Amino acid sequence: MTAPAPAMPAAPAIDAAIVRYVQQHQPCRFGELAELFVDAAPLGVVNASHLQALQARLARLVACGRLRRMAPLRFTARGRGVRDRLRFIAGDEPATTDLSPPEACLDPHHPPTPEKGPDMAATRVKAKAMTTPVPQNRDDCAAYIRTLGDLQREFERQRADMNDRIAEITNAAQPVLAGLTERIDALRTGIQTWCEANRVALCGEGDRLGKTVNLVTGEVSWRQVPPSVQVRGAEAVLDRLAVMGLDRFIRTRAEVNKEAILAEPDAARGVPGLTIVTGLENFSITPFEAAAEVAA
């Protein structure tokens, strides 16, 4: 009986290499990781045990928060049905310092060149070349802040001027629009009054000729308004429905309680689809302004 081939070594450097590769190419398919860390590794004949070893390694990285799984795990004996569907992205826990792929993990004759499929092409984003001027010293930075303040004040002046012009146009057009609206409403009311009085002549008894009438210059029609529910005093209505046992008329909305998750981040860590963002800072620039005071 042939002894099974040795499983992939459980070296921390291999875990770090996997995490680093996922960070650089996320979302990363299981099949891609298998090609790099199993198929190309010096393990002799690759069999199902090697894929299961990789599966266990990835599950351990997911459990400790260094990777996140984007789909439920579906693993068969030969790894079929999982190489393309199962994808991983970087988790919340930072990776170790030494993340270079070790010699024991990758074959030197098979460099870690990822397979470029349509999924990866759609998710990879090239960083734009930086064309923004950057100050070179403290004096330059102070000058940039002064220029920023000048531009912000000019922006506010232009916006105020635009709003003044809009107000002038609105005030000038308001009387004309009001007069047109009054005439339109009067004509609508008169047309509806005449049509309601002559509905039988226009549509026949019981609307047997239809509810739409062509009057050469246009048409008039009657349409049944769908039933609707009007609620006055929503809280009181909810209480009455609950007391009367009409819970089926009460809609309960389920949503993620973000405040509770922030209060217990460790309990929610590792849940697929949840990312607890920490350590971010908001950078603000406040150009100095002279406060003008009016004497009483």
Side-chain angles (χ1 to χ4, degrees):
M1 184 174 180
T2 305
M8 189 167 54
I14 300 180
D15 293 344
I18 293 176
V19 173
R20 177 53 178 261
Y21 186 84
V22 172
Q23 287 176 338
Q24 294 178 348
H25 304 88
Q26 57 186 333
C28 194
R29 295 181 293 108
F30 176 86
E32 187 177 340
L33 295 175
E35 291 173 3
L36 294 174
F37 295 93
V38 176
D39 298 345
L43 300 175
V45 180
V46 176
N47 54 28
S49 64
H50 298 127
L51 296 177
Q52 292 172 355
L54 178 61
Q55 171 199 355
R57 186 184 299 278
L58 293 173
R60 187 172 66 253
L61 292 174
V62 170
C64 66
R66 296 174 66 183
L67 292 181
R68 285 174 51 204
R69 202 160 42 223
M70 297 183 63
L73 183 61
R74 297 188 183 96
F75 189 83
T76 59
R78 297 184 180 179
R80 295 177 181 174
V82 73
R83 282 180 172 251
D84 293 325
R85 287 200 301 267
L86 187 59
R87 288 178 169 85
F88 294 88
I89 59 176
D92 300 324
E93 292 296 327
T96 57
T97 306
D98 182 16
L99 297 180
S100 58
E103 294 290 337
C105 177
L106 301 178
D107 191 308
H109 300 292
H110 297 79
T113 303
E115 178 185 352
K116 294 182 179 179
D119 292 340
M120 293 184 64
T123 54
R124 242 182 238 184
V125 179
K126 269 191 178 180
K128 292 183 179 179
M130 186 172 183
T131 58
T132 304
V134 178
Q136 302 300 313
N137 51 49
R138 187 185 183 94
D139 293 337
D140 286 351
C141 189
Y144 274 43
I145 294 177
R146 184 190 66 241
T147 304
L148 174 64
D150 295 339
L151 294 176
Q152 288 178 344
R153 287 187 291 273
E154 179 63 22
F155 177 86
E156 293 299 332
R157 283 193 292 268
Q158 292 291 340
R159 181 162 63 177
D161 183 59
M162 177 191 68
N163 290 333
D164 291 342
R165 295 181 184 181
I166 292 175
E168 291 176 3
I169 295 172
T170 303
N171 291 334
Q174 190 64 35
V176 179
L177 295 176
L180 292 174
T181 301
E182 185 176 351
R183 292 184 59 189
I184 290 172
D185 291 342
L187 286 172
R188 285 182 179 276
T189 302
I191 292 170
Q192 184 176 1
T193 300
W194 183 87
C195 289
E196 293 289 355
N198 296 274
R199 181 167 181 172
V200 175
L202 294 173
C203 302
E205 289 290 342
D207 296 333
R208 61 181 178 82
L209 300 179
K211 293 187 176 183
T212 300
V213 181
N214 188 337
L215 297 176
V216 182
T217 58
E219 63 180 21
V220 297
S221 60
W222 288 264
R223 293 291 180 266
Q224 187 70 38
V225 178
S228 62
V229 178
Q230 295 182 350
V231 179
R232 294 181 300 275
E235 294 184 2
V237 172
L238 289 173
D239 293 339
R240 294 191 190 100
L241 289 174
V243 170
M244 298 172 65
L246 300 176
D247 294 338
R248 61 184 180 278
F249 298 145
I250 300 176
R251 179 182 298 162
T252 303
R253 179 181 177 182
E255 60 182 9
V256 178
N257 190 340
K258 297 182 180 180
E259 291 76 12
I261 292 176
L262 291 176
E264 300 180 66
D266 294 335
R269 198 180 303 277
V271 176
L274 277 181
T275 302
I276 302 174
V277 182
T278 59
L280 297 182
E281 293 181 333
N282 288 327
F283 180 76
S284 62
I285 306 173
T286 307
F288 292 143
E289 305 284 349
E293 297 182 359
V294 180

